[in-house]
Amino acid sequence: MSASFFYPYLLLQIPAGIVVDRLGVRRPLIFSIILCTLATLIFAVSQSALVAEAARLMMGMGSAPAVVCAMCLGSRWFPKPLFPMLAGMVEMLGMIGGAFGEYGISLLINIFTWRGALIFCVGAAILLIIAIIRYVVDWPNEEKRRQYYQEQKRAAPSENFFEACREIVCLSQVWIACLYGGLMFSIIAAFSGLWAVPFLEEAYGMTTPVAAGASAMMLIGSGLGAPVMGWLSCRVGSYRRIMIVMSLLAMLCFGLILWVHIPYPLLCFLMLLLGLSAGAYALCFSVVKHVTCASMHGMALGFTNMMAICLGAPVLQPLIGWLLEENQGQIAHLSVQDYWHAFRPLWICLLIALVLATLIRERPCKQV
């Protein structure tokens, strides 16, 4: 039931981008939040698992345009050099929403039960709908809209859906950036998202709450790292150098966490630093935006978001679990060496990300 949210969310990223390209941001955003609100209400009053799962599917459909809409608004309302930092802020707010939203929901459930908590969320969403209708506008002005498209040197894509998709997937820089983002994000989704806590319990002898606290530092670091990487890339004037350095830093921090038994405060710092360096995945949105023309930005950013998500939790979380089961055999519990072996795919991901970072075409922020 929980996973059913992600299927339409991932599959609809490119169609959502196309809708944003064709209709603008405001109308798809209003429709999506209304759909999410209705889905939450249906889930709150559902009396069967089938209805609840259908509501989760609707939530995934409604959430699909969210990242694309936010980034397209950022690209239209703010100067171009600020886009890397704005893309990072979108990712940061997503992390904060996930972390504090889960905590807030747990408090509401204790007060109102889970159905009452979701009704409260519906009320909050209605206020959000009103705010979007009142304040969200596609462009600052008509002149800005015309100027934005005229500045693009690339030709507009074909009106045909498949030809438009082909134009995006035939750009090597799009694939390099998307794969880099997905590989860097995978360590957040697969390690901190699931396997960090049991590993820290076994390797460091921690209790579950203490290990969870250390793991949470990585999520905090990644939330902070996404906008910081965008700011750094503009200060340095290069995406590629930041992406290379952060890949190396992530490998160093991950190695120290796995193989060196370090004190808890230093461990938390390294987890924070690992999340901060992994936050460089957000730069893939900036690279993709700058190698595609304006009329394809929605579709291209949707494709990027899909690639960034699908390599982590859907693939690596179960793969690591399968490797742990293979290593365990008939042993009663997993050893630290079992985790080292199972984490080899994460090392491969970071190494490939490093190689891909060296292939990023240099596009200094001051020139775009």
Side-chain angles (χ1 to χ4, degrees):
M1 187 184 297
S2 177
S4 61
F5 170 92
F6 292 97
Y7 303 137
Y9 180 83
L10 290 174
L11 292 174
L12 291 177
Q13 285 301 304
I14 294 178
I18 296 172
V19 170
V20 171
D21 285 334
R22 299 293 186 268
L23 301 180
V25 174
R26 189 171 185 271
R27 285 180 288 175
L29 191 59
I30 293 172
F31 175 79
S32 67
I33 187 64
I34 290 175
L35 183 59
C36 284
T37 305
L38 289 175
T40 304
L41 181 61
I42 293 172
F43 193 95
V45 300
S46 62
Q47 299 296 326
S48 69
L50 183 61
V51 174
E53 188 166 355
R56 286 289 291 170
L57 289 169
M58 289 175 60
M59 291 179 196
M61 294 171 61
S63 300
V67 172
V68 175
C69 288
M71 292 193 178
C72 283
L73 282 174
S75 69
R76 295 174 180 183
W77 277 80
F78 295 89
K80 293 179 183 179
L82 292 181
F83 183 80
M85 186 170 64
L86 291 170
M89 290 179 66
V90 171
E91 295 297 310
M92 178 187 71
L93 291 172
M95 295 283 186
I96 292 175
F100 288 94
E102 185 174 350
Y103 177 72
I105 285 291
S106 65
L107 295 179
L108 290 173
I109 289 174
N110 289 333
I111 299 173
F112 300 114
T113 73
W114 70 270
R115 293 185 188 274
L118 290 179
I119 296 296
F120 181 90
C121 291
V122 169
I126 292 173
L127 296 179
L128 185 59
I129 293 170
I130 296 172
I132 291 172
I133 294 173
R134 175 65 179 83
Y135 294 108
V136 172
V137 181
D138 286 295
W139 296 94
N141 50 63
E142 182 63 21
E143 181 182 355
K144 177 74 173 180
R145 186 190 69 82
R146 289 197 304 266
Q147 179 185 2
Y148 186 86
Y149 283 101
Q150 289 171 357
E151 287 176 353
Q152 303 303 316
K153 296 181 180 179
R154 295 176 57 88
S158 168
E159 293 295 325
N160 183 278
F161 168 76
F162 296 103
E163 290 186 16
C165 289
R166 183 178 59 82
E167 290 197 37
I168 291 177
V169 300
C170 287
L171 292 172
S172 60
Q173 286 293 300
V174 169
W175 281 102
I176 292 171
C178 288
L179 289 173
Y180 176 88
L183 293 169
M184 290 295 285
F185 186 75
S186 66
I187 196 167
I188 301 172
F191 185 60
S192 179
L194 183 60
W195 295 111
V197 172
F199 166 75
L200 294 175
E201 289 176 340
E202 179 63 31
Y204 290 85
M206 297 178 179
T207 62
T208 299
V210 175
S215 178
M217 296 302 293
M218 186 174 173
L219 293 177
I220 294 173
S222 61
L224 295 173
V228 168
M229 294 305 113
W231 176 80
L232 277 177
S233 67
C234 288
R235 293 287 295 179
V236 174
S238 169
Y239 302 132
R240 186 165 66 93
R241 278 180 280 174
I242 297 299
M243 295 164 85
I244 291 172
V245 171
M246 290 304 115
S247 300
L248 290 170
L249 182 60
M251 295 177 71
L252 175 62
C253 293
F254 193 45
L256 291 173
I257 292 168
L258 293 188
W259 297 326
V260 181
H261 198 283
I262 51 183
Y264 185 74
L266 182 57
L267 173 66
C268 289
F269 174 75
L270 286 176
M271 291 289 286
L272 181 72
L273 199 58
L274 177 59
L276 192 74
S277 57
Y281 80 89
L283 292 178
C284 68
F285 292 99
S286 299
V287 176
V288 169
K289 174 184 174 288
H290 289 145
V291 298
T292 55
C293 64
S295 55
M296 288 196 297
H297 279 170
M299 188 191 307
L301 292 174
F303 177 74
T304 306
N305 192 47
M306 179 183 70
M307 292 294 294
I309 295 174
C310 69
L311 292 177
V315 176
L316 287 175
Q317 281 189 359
L319 175 60
I320 291 173
W322 177 77
L323 290 173
L324 287 171
E325 287 186 353
E326 289 293 306
N327 297 336
Q328 185 178 15
Q330 302 299 319
I331 304 175
H333 70 279
L334 294 164
S335 66
V336 177
Q337 289 75 19
D338 292 329
Y339 282 103
W340 288 349
H341 177 77
F343 288 155
R344 285 187 299 179
L346 294 179
W347 281 107
I348 295 172
C349 287
L350 291 176
L351 181 60
I352 296 175
L354 174 61
V355 174
L356 291 173
T358 63
L359 302 177
I360 293 293
R361 187 179 303 156
E362 197 65 59
R363 292 292 297 272
C365 290
K366 61 184 179 181
Q367 296 179 5
V368 296

